[in-house]
Protein backbone atom coordinates (compact mmCIF):
# COMPACT_ATOMS: atom_id res chain seq x y z
CA UNK A 1 0.00 0.00 0.00
CA UNK A 2 1.44 3.38 -0.98
CA UNK A 3 1.63 6.13 1.56
CA UNK A 4 0.45 9.68 0.95
CA UNK A 5 3.88 11.00 0.03
CA UNK A 6 4.70 8.03 -2.21
CA UNK A 7 1.49 8.55 -4.13
CA UNK A 8 2.33 12.21 -4.53
CA UNK A 9 5.76 11.43 -5.94
CA UNK A 10 4.31 8.93 -8.39
CA UNK A 11 1.67 11.37 -9.59
CA UNK A 12 4.31 14.02 -10.11
CA UNK A 13 6.51 11.70 -12.17
CA UNK A 14 3.55 10.41 -14.13
CA UNK A 15 2.41 13.95 -14.86
CA UNK A 16 -1.19 12.84 -14.58
CA UNK A 17 -2.58 16.07 -13.14
CA UNK A 18 -3.96 19.05 -15.03
CA UNK A 19 -1.57 21.98 -15.28
CA UNK A 20 -2.45 25.14 -13.43
CA UNK A 21 0.03 27.99 -13.60
CA UNK A 22 1.53 28.32 -10.12
CA UNK A 23 1.14 31.45 -8.11
CA UNK A 24 4.31 33.22 -7.08
CA UNK A 25 5.31 31.66 -3.78
CA UNK A 26 7.26 33.31 -1.02
CA UNK A 27 9.79 31.06 0.68
CA UNK A 28 10.62 33.37 3.55
CA UNK A 29 9.67 31.90 6.90
CA UNK A 30 8.52 33.93 9.86
CA UNK A 31 10.11 32.10 12.76
CA UNK A 32 8.46 31.78 16.16
CA UNK A 33 5.03 32.96 15.06
CA UNK A 34 2.47 32.99 17.91
CA UNK A 35 0.20 30.53 16.07
CA UNK A 36 2.99 27.99 15.71
CA UNK A 37 4.26 28.56 19.24
CA UNK A 38 0.77 27.75 20.47
CA UNK A 39 0.68 24.53 18.42
CA UNK A 40 4.06 23.48 19.82
CA UNK A 41 3.49 24.79 23.36
CA UNK A 42 3.60 21.21 24.59
CA UNK A 43 5.21 18.37 22.65
CA UNK A 44 5.62 14.67 23.18
CA UNK A 45 8.09 12.14 21.77
CA UNK A 46 6.86 9.46 19.42
CA UNK A 47 8.87 6.27 18.96
CA UNK A 48 8.28 5.18 15.36
CA UNK A 49 10.12 2.03 14.35
CA UNK A 50 13.76 2.74 15.17
CA UNK A 51 13.34 6.51 15.22
CA UNK A 52 11.95 9.15 17.56
CA UNK A 53 10.27 12.39 16.57
CA UNK A 54 8.65 15.11 18.67
CA UNK A 55 5.08 16.15 17.82
CA UNK A 56 2.59 18.58 19.37
CA UNK A 57 0.66 17.24 22.33
CA UNK A 58 -2.55 17.38 20.25
CA UNK A 59 -1.19 14.85 17.72
CA UNK A 60 -2.45 11.30 18.11
CA UNK A 61 -1.48 8.42 15.84
CA UNK A 62 -4.58 7.23 13.99
CA UNK A 63 -3.11 4.26 12.16
CA UNK A 64 -2.83 0.98 14.08
CA UNK A 65 -3.00 -1.68 11.38
CA UNK A 66 -0.14 -0.82 9.01
CA UNK A 67 2.47 -2.89 10.84
CA UNK A 68 4.29 -5.65 8.97
CA UNK A 69 7.03 -7.68 10.65
CA UNK A 70 8.42 -10.43 8.41
CA UNK A 71 5.34 -12.38 7.19
CA UNK A 72 3.11 -11.06 9.97
CA UNK A 73 0.59 -8.25 9.96
CA UNK A 74 -0.07 -6.69 13.36
CA UNK A 75 -2.98 -4.60 14.58
CA UNK A 76 -2.92 -2.90 17.97
CA UNK A 77 -5.51 -1.33 20.23
CA UNK A 78 -5.66 -0.28 23.90
CA UNK A 79 -8.32 -2.44 25.54
CA UNK A 80 -9.50 -3.47 28.97
CA UNK A 81 -9.00 -7.14 29.79
CA UNK A 82 -12.74 -8.04 29.92
CA UNK A 83 -13.21 -6.47 26.48
CA UNK A 84 -10.24 -8.44 25.16
CA UNK A 85 -11.67 -11.72 26.47
CA UNK A 86 -15.02 -10.92 24.88
CA UNK A 87 -13.29 -10.10 21.59
CA UNK A 88 -11.57 -13.50 21.59
CA UNK A 89 -14.80 -15.33 22.41
CA UNK A 90 -16.70 -13.55 19.66
CA UNK A 91 -13.92 -14.24 17.18
CA UNK A 92 -13.83 -17.93 18.02
CA UNK A 93 -17.59 -18.17 17.56
CA UNK A 94 -17.41 -16.33 14.23
CA UNK A 95 -14.77 -18.75 12.98
CA UNK A 96 -16.83 -21.75 14.05
CA UNK A 97 -19.93 -20.31 12.37
CA UNK A 98 -18.00 -19.84 9.12
CA UNK A 99 -18.28 -23.58 8.50
CA UNK A 100 -21.91 -23.05 7.54
CA UNK A 101 -21.27 -20.25 5.05
CA UNK A 102 -22.05 -21.15 1.40
CA UNK A 103 -18.56 -20.26 0.17
CA UNK A 104 -17.00 -22.88 2.47
CA UNK A 105 -17.08 -26.56 1.48
CA UNK A 106 -18.27 -28.90 4.30
CA UNK A 107 -15.47 -31.33 3.39
CA UNK A 108 -13.01 -28.76 4.75
CA UNK A 109 -14.63 -28.73 8.21
CA UNK A 110 -13.84 -28.03 10.95
CA UNK A 111 -13.12 -24.41 10.13
CA UNK A 112 -10.85 -24.09 13.18
CA UNK A 113 -8.10 -26.67 12.94
CA UNK A 114 -6.38 -25.88 16.24
CA UNK A 115 -6.56 -23.47 19.17
CA UNK A 116 -3.24 -22.83 20.90
CA UNK A 117 -3.40 -21.26 24.34
CA UNK A 118 -0.57 -18.82 24.93
CA UNK A 119 1.45 -19.00 28.18
CA UNK A 120 0.85 -16.54 31.02
CA UNK A 121 -2.75 -16.00 29.86
CA UNK A 122 -1.54 -13.77 27.03
CA UNK A 123 -4.21 -15.03 24.64
CA UNK A 124 -4.71 -17.60 21.90
CA UNK A 125 -3.65 -18.55 18.39
CA UNK A 126 -6.30 -19.81 15.98
CA UNK A 127 -5.28 -22.06 13.09
CA UNK A 128 -8.29 -21.69 10.84
CA UNK A 129 -9.40 -22.04 7.23
CA UNK A 130 -9.54 -19.10 4.86
CA UNK A 131 -13.07 -18.48 3.61
CA UNK A 132 -13.66 -19.63 0.06
CA UNK A 133 -10.43 -21.64 -0.10
CA UNK A 134 -9.41 -25.28 0.29
CA UNK A 135 -8.23 -25.97 3.81
CA UNK A 136 -4.66 -26.53 2.70
CA UNK A 137 -4.51 -22.71 2.60
CA UNK A 138 -5.15 -21.45 6.11
CA UNK A 139 -4.12 -18.67 8.46
CA UNK A 140 -2.69 -18.27 11.91
CA UNK A 141 -4.43 -15.56 13.90
CA UNK A 142 -3.02 -14.65 17.30
CA UNK A 143 -4.95 -12.57 19.81
CA UNK A 144 -2.44 -11.28 22.34
CA UNK A 145 -2.95 -9.14 25.44
CA UNK A 146 0.00 -7.52 27.15
CA UNK A 147 0.34 -4.34 29.23
CA UNK A 148 -3.22 -3.25 28.52
CA UNK A 149 -2.83 -3.50 24.74
CA UNK A 150 -4.65 -5.97 22.50
CA UNK A 151 -2.74 -7.21 19.44
CA UNK A 152 -4.03 -9.22 16.50
CA UNK A 153 -1.24 -10.91 14.52
CA UNK A 154 -2.02 -12.78 11.32
CA UNK A 155 -0.16 -14.72 8.65
CA UNK A 156 -1.09 -17.17 5.90
CA UNK A 157 0.09 -20.79 5.96
CA UNK A 158 0.13 -23.72 3.55
CA UNK A 159 -0.44 -27.31 4.67
CA UNK A 160 -0.55 -30.31 2.30
CA UNK A 161 -0.27 -32.86 5.13
CA UNK A 162 -3.85 -34.14 4.98
CA UNK A 163 -4.16 -37.49 3.08
CA UNK A 164 -6.69 -35.96 0.65
CA UNK A 165 -3.93 -33.70 -0.69
CA UNK A 166 -1.47 -36.51 -1.41
CA UNK A 167 -1.61 -36.07 -5.20
CA UNK A 168 -1.52 -32.28 -5.04
CA UNK A 169 1.44 -32.46 -2.68
CA UNK A 170 3.33 -34.72 -5.07
CA UNK A 171 2.72 -32.27 -7.90
CA UNK A 172 3.77 -29.34 -5.74
CA UNK A 173 7.00 -31.10 -4.73
CA UNK A 174 8.13 -31.07 -8.34
CA UNK A 175 8.92 -27.37 -8.00
CA UNK A 176 9.63 -26.93 -4.29
CA UNK A 177 10.94 -28.57 -1.13
CA UNK A 178 9.24 -30.65 1.55
CA UNK A 179 9.25 -27.87 4.15
CA UNK A 180 7.32 -25.63 1.74
CA UNK A 181 4.44 -28.11 1.63
CA UNK A 182 3.71 -27.35 5.29
CA UNK A 183 4.71 -23.88 6.42
CA UNK A 184 2.79 -24.05 9.71
CA UNK A 185 5.62 -25.32 11.97
CA UNK A 186 8.10 -22.64 10.91
CA UNK A 187 5.59 -19.81 10.94
CA UNK A 188 4.11 -20.90 14.25
CA UNK A 189 7.57 -20.92 15.83
CA UNK A 190 8.30 -17.46 14.38
CA UNK A 191 4.95 -16.20 15.63
CA UNK A 192 5.55 -17.51 19.14
CA UNK A 193 8.99 -15.91 19.16
CA UNK A 194 7.47 -12.59 18.06
CA UNK A 195 4.82 -12.78 20.78
CA UNK A 196 7.49 -13.52 23.43
CA UNK A 197 9.27 -10.29 22.47
CA UNK A 198 6.15 -8.15 22.22
CA UNK A 199 5.05 -5.67 24.87
CA UNK A 200 2.42 -2.96 25.05
CA UNK A 201 3.20 0.69 25.67
CA UNK A 202 1.79 4.18 25.45
CA UNK A 203 2.97 5.97 22.31
CA UNK A 204 4.81 8.63 24.37
CA UNK A 205 6.95 5.97 26.08
CA UNK A 206 10.39 5.43 24.54
CA UNK A 207 11.73 1.95 25.40
CA UNK A 208 15.38 1.77 26.38
CA UNK A 209 15.91 -1.77 25.05
CA UNK A 210 17.00 -2.38 21.48
CA UNK A 211 14.08 -3.08 19.21
CA UNK A 212 11.35 -1.62 17.04
CA UNK A 213 8.42 0.53 18.17
CA UNK A 214 5.00 -0.15 16.67
CA UNK A 215 1.78 1.70 17.50
CA UNK A 216 1.03 1.00 21.18
CA UNK A 217 3.73 -1.67 21.24
CA UNK A 218 7.39 -2.62 21.20
CA UNK A 219 9.16 -5.66 19.76
CA UNK A 220 12.46 -6.46 21.44
CA UNK A 221 15.33 -7.48 19.17
CA UNK A 222 16.45 -11.09 19.22
CA UNK A 223 19.68 -10.69 17.26
CA UNK A 224 18.12 -11.86 14.00
CA UNK A 225 17.36 -9.91 10.84
CA UNK A 226 13.73 -9.07 10.33
CA UNK A 227 11.65 -7.20 7.77
CA UNK A 228 10.06 -4.20 9.46
CA UNK A 229 7.55 -1.98 7.67
CA UNK A 230 5.25 0.35 9.57
CA UNK A 231 3.41 3.65 9.26
CA UNK A 232 2.20 6.21 11.78
CA UNK A 233 -0.36 8.82 10.70
CA UNK A 234 -1.55 12.01 12.36
CA UNK A 235 -4.40 14.12 11.01
CA UNK A 236 -6.35 17.24 11.93
CA UNK A 237 -8.51 19.72 10.03
CA UNK A 238 -5.46 21.44 8.53
CA UNK A 239 -3.08 18.69 7.44
CA UNK A 240 -1.94 15.07 7.52
CA UNK A 241 1.47 14.13 8.88
CA UNK A 242 2.85 10.65 8.40
CA UNK A 243 6.02 8.68 9.02
CA UNK A 244 6.86 5.43 7.25
CA UNK A 245 9.82 3.18 8.10
CA UNK A 246 10.78 0.32 5.80
CA UNK A 247 13.78 -1.90 6.53
CA UNK A 248 13.25 -3.83 3.29
CA UNK A 249 14.44 -0.89 1.17
CA UNK A 250 18.13 -1.30 0.50
CA UNK A 251 20.46 1.64 0.18
CA UNK A 252 20.93 2.90 -3.37
CA UNK A 253 21.65 5.97 -5.46
CA UNK A 254 17.99 6.15 -6.50
CA UNK A 255 17.42 9.08 -4.16
CA UNK A 256 14.78 11.79 -4.17
CA UNK A 257 17.17 14.37 -5.58
CA UNK A 258 18.51 11.98 -8.19
CA UNK A 259 14.96 11.81 -9.53
CA UNK A 260 14.87 15.60 -9.85
CA UNK A 261 14.82 15.65 -13.65
CA UNK A 262 11.78 13.35 -13.77
CA UNK A 263 9.99 15.29 -11.07
CA UNK A 264 10.73 18.69 -12.61
CA UNK A 265 9.46 17.44 -15.95
CA UNK A 266 6.28 16.14 -14.33
CA UNK A 267 5.75 19.48 -12.58
CA UNK A 268 5.24 21.10 -15.97
CA UNK A 269 2.02 19.17 -16.45
CA UNK A 270 0.75 19.09 -12.87
CA UNK A 271 -1.00 21.47 -10.53
CA UNK A 272 2.02 21.53 -8.25
CA UNK A 273 5.10 23.71 -8.08
CA UNK A 274 8.38 23.44 -6.24
CA UNK A 275 8.89 25.68 -3.21
CA UNK A 276 12.35 24.46 -2.26
CA UNK A 277 14.45 21.37 -1.79
CA UNK A 278 17.06 21.00 0.89
CA UNK A 279 19.62 18.40 1.93
CA UNK A 280 19.65 18.21 5.71
CA UNK A 281 20.98 16.06 8.52
CA UNK A 282 18.74 16.19 11.60
CA UNK A 283 20.72 14.73 14.50
CA UNK A 284 23.16 13.13 12.08
CA UNK A 285 20.52 11.42 9.89
CA UNK A 286 21.25 12.03 6.18
CA UNK A 287 18.09 13.23 4.48
CA UNK A 288 16.67 15.00 1.43
CA UNK A 289 13.62 17.21 1.67
CA UNK A 290 11.47 18.65 -1.11
CA UNK A 291 8.60 21.05 -0.51
CA UNK A 292 5.81 21.52 -3.04
CA UNK A 293 2.78 23.75 -3.27
CA UNK A 294 -0.23 23.38 -5.50
CA UNK A 295 -3.64 24.68 -6.47
CA UNK A 296 -6.72 22.60 -5.76
CA UNK A 297 -10.46 22.91 -6.08
CA UNK A 298 -12.47 21.77 -3.08
CA UNK A 299 -16.07 22.14 -2.02
CA UNK A 300 -16.91 24.68 0.68
CA UNK A 301 -19.15 22.76 3.08
CA UNK A 302 -20.94 25.95 4.16
CA UNK A 303 -21.62 27.54 0.77
CA UNK A 304 -21.72 24.23 -1.18
CA UNK A 305 -19.59 25.93 -3.85
CA UNK A 306 -16.26 24.88 -5.31
CA UNK A 307 -13.33 27.06 -4.34
CA UNK A 308 -9.72 27.17 -5.45
CA UNK A 309 -7.04 27.38 -2.82
CA UNK A 310 -3.41 26.54 -2.22
CA UNK A 311 -2.32 23.28 -0.69
CA UNK A 312 1.11 22.08 0.43
CA UNK A 313 2.86 18.77 0.09
CA UNK A 314 6.22 18.30 1.81
CA UNK A 315 8.35 15.16 1.83
CA UNK A 316 11.57 13.92 3.38
CA UNK A 317 13.53 10.76 2.61
CA UNK A 318 16.25 9.68 5.05
CA UNK A 319 18.94 7.00 4.94
CA UNK A 320 18.35 6.45 1.24
CA UNK A 321 21.93 5.59 0.32
CA UNK A 322 23.19 3.80 3.40
CA UNK A 323 20.18 2.06 4.92
CA UNK A 324 21.00 -0.67 7.47
CA UNK A 325 18.82 -2.81 9.77
CA UNK A 326 19.63 -0.45 12.66
CA UNK A 327 19.27 2.67 10.52
CA UNK A 328 16.52 1.79 8.06
CA UNK A 329 15.01 3.88 5.30
CA UNK A 330 12.44 6.33 6.62
CA UNK A 331 10.27 8.86 4.83
CA UNK A 332 8.05 11.60 6.17
CA UNK A 333 5.11 13.28 4.49
CA UNK A 334 3.18 16.43 5.39
CA UNK A 335 0.23 17.56 3.28
CA UNK A 336 -2.80 19.82 3.33
CA UNK A 337 -4.13 18.39 0.06
CA UNK A 338 -7.93 17.97 0.13
CA UNK A 339 -8.05 20.29 3.15
CA UNK A 340 -8.53 24.03 3.57
CA UNK A 341 -5.71 24.73 5.97
CA UNK A 342 -5.67 27.84 8.13
CA UNK A 343 -1.88 28.03 7.94
CA UNK A 344 0.08 30.16 5.51
CA UNK A 345 2.97 28.81 3.45
CA UNK A 346 5.49 30.27 5.89
CA UNK A 347 3.66 28.69 8.83
CA UNK A 348 3.43 25.31 7.14
CA UNK A 349 7.17 25.42 6.51
CA UNK A 350 7.82 26.33 10.13
CA UNK A 351 5.66 23.42 11.36
CA UNK A 352 7.52 21.11 8.98
CA UNK A 353 10.92 22.36 10.11
CA UNK A 354 10.10 21.83 13.77
CA UNK A 355 8.87 18.31 13.13
CA UNK A 356 11.64 16.99 10.88
CA UNK A 357 14.46 18.65 12.81
CA UNK A 358 13.45 16.65 15.87
CA UNK A 359 13.97 13.34 14.02
CA UNK A 360 16.58 11.17 15.74
CA UNK A 361 17.59 7.56 16.20
CA UNK A 362 15.89 5.72 19.04
Amino acid sequence: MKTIWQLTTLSLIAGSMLFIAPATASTSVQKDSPVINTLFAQTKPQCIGRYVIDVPESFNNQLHDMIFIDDFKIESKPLYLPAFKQRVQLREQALRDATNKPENDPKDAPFIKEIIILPENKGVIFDSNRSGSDDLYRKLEAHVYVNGISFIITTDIRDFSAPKYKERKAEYLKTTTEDQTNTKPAKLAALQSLISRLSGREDEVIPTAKGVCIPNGFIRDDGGKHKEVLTFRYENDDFVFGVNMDSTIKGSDDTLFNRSALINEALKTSNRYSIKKVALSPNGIPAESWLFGGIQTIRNSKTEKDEKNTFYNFMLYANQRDATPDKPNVNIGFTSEYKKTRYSEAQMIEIWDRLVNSLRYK
Side-chain angles (χ1 to χ4, degrees):
M1 179 178 180
K2 293 181 176 64
T3 54
I4 287 175
W5 47 97
Q6 288 170 319
L7 286 171
T8 299
T9 303
L10 288 174
S11 66
L12 284 169
I13 293 173
S16 60
M17 307 236 176
L18 294 175
F19 174 74
I20 299 177
T24 301
S26 168
T27 58
S28 61
V29 180
Q30 178 190 352
K31 293 294 183 182
D32 298 323
S33 66
V35 172
I36 307 305
N37 285 338
T38 299
L39 178 64
F40 284 87
Q42 288 185 304
T43 62
K44 59 186 179 184
Q46 297 284 276
C47 184
I48 301 175
R50 296 183 182 274
Y51 293 87
V52 176
I53 195 166
D54 295 329
V55 302
E57 183 70 30
S58 60
F59 280 29
N60 292 298
N61 175 41
Q62 299 178 7
L63 203 55
H64 294 81
D65 61 353
M66 289 297 291
I67 314 161
F68 302 91
I69 306 296
D70 296 325
D71 294 326
F72 302 101
K73 179 178 180 179
I74 306 176
E75 300 178 31
S76 61
K77 181 180 181 180
L79 211 60
Y80 290 113
L81 183 57
F84 170 76
K85 291 180 177 180
Q86 183 181 40
R87 170 191 265 194
V88 174
Q89 291 172 352
L90 291 173
R91 183 56 179 159
E92 180 179 345
Q93 189 59 53
L95 290 172
R96 294 189 186 283
D97 292 343
T99 300
N100 301 317
K101 291 186 176 180
E103 66 266 26
N104 297 318
D105 195 321
K107 69 179 176 59
D108 292 323
F111 201 82
I112 299 178
K113 293 295 187 283
E114 184 180 9
I115 298 178
I116 302 165
I117 306 300
L118 295 173
E120 302 176 3
N121 295 317
K122 282 187 176 181
V124 301
I125 300 173
F126 296 117
D127 170 0
S128 66
N129 296 350
R130 289 157 53 187
S131 285
S133 176
D134 292 337
D135 65 351
L136 65 85
Y137 297 111
R138 305 198 302 275
K139 65 179 178 180
L140 297 178
E141 179 180 318
H143 290 258
V144 185
Y145 190 79
V146 56
N147 305 125
I149 307 297
S150 171
F151 299 95
I152 300 176
I153 311 173
T154 56
T155 189
D156 292 331
I157 61 173
R158 181 191 311 112
D159 182 5
F160 283 87
S161 60
K164 63 182 177 180
Y165 295 122
K166 181 179 179 180
E167 292 183 3
R168 290 178 67 174
K169 178 180 178 179
E171 188 67 25
Y172 192 73
L173 277 170
K174 292 179 180 179
T175 57
T176 190
T177 57
E178 178 72 32
D179 61 326
Q180 289 301 306
T181 65
N182 185 3
T183 60
K184 178 180 176 179
K187 287 200 174 184
L188 179 58
L191 175 57
Q192 291 171 323
S193 172
L194 175 61
I195 292 170
S196 72
R197 297 180 286 115
L198 177 65
S199 58
R201 68 178 182 92
E202 295 182 1
D203 280 341
E204 303 93 272
V205 174
I206 312 300
T208 56
K210 193 173 182 180
V212 59
C213 292
I214 64 175
N216 296 121
F218 179 70
I219 302 171
R220 189 179 68 254
D221 281 353
D222 62 354
K225 292 183 179 181
H226 298 279
K227 298 176 182 177
E228 301 163 352
V229 183
L230 53 94
T231 305
F232 281 58
R233 185 176 188 269
Y234 307 83
E235 182 175 5
N236 58 29
D237 292 338
D238 295 290
F239 50 73
V240 178
F241 175 70
V243 182
N244 171 265
M245 190 199 81
D246 189 339
S247 71
T248 68
I249 299 176
K250 297 180 180 180
S252 78
D253 289 331
D254 184 24
T255 66
L256 178 64
F257 287 179
N258 282 347
R259 295 192 294 274
S260 292
L262 289 173
I263 294 173
N264 284 327
E265 189 63 29
L267 282 172
K268 297 176 183 178
T269 55
S270 78
N271 64 340
R272 291 169 170 80
Y273 56 91
S274 176
I275 296 174
K276 66 176 180 178
K277 61 179 183 178
V278 181
L280 63 160
S281 182
N283 298 291
I285 302 172
E288 295 177 347
S289 173
W290 203 331
L291 282 55
F292 299 94
I295 306 298
Q296 66 180 352
T297 301
I298 58 175
R299 178 61 59 96
N300 186 313
S301 59
K302 294 182 179 179
T303 65
E304 294 298 322
K305 293 182 178 180
D306 289 339
E307 297 178 349
K308 287 185 178 181
N309 61 52
T310 302
F311 69 91
Y312 303 97
N313 206 313
F314 304 162
M315 60 186 70
L316 176 144
Y317 287 76
N319 278 326
Q320 299 173 94
R321 285 187 170 88
D322 303 309
T324 67
D326 289 332
K327 298 178 179 180
N329 183 289
V330 65
N331 57 79
I332 301 175
F334 182 56
T335 182
S336 63
E337 192 167 9
Y338 309 116
K339 295 179 178 289
K340 190 174 181 180
T341 183
R342 81 186 87 168
Y343 297 112
S344 67
E345 179 179 298
Q347 290 170 334
M348 289 290 284
I349 293 174
E350 185 176 350
I351 295 170
W352 170 256
D353 286 345
R354 292 201 190 195
L355 290 168
V356 299
N357 285 324
S358 73
L359 183 68
R360 57 198 183 272
Y361 295 116
K362 174 184 167 298

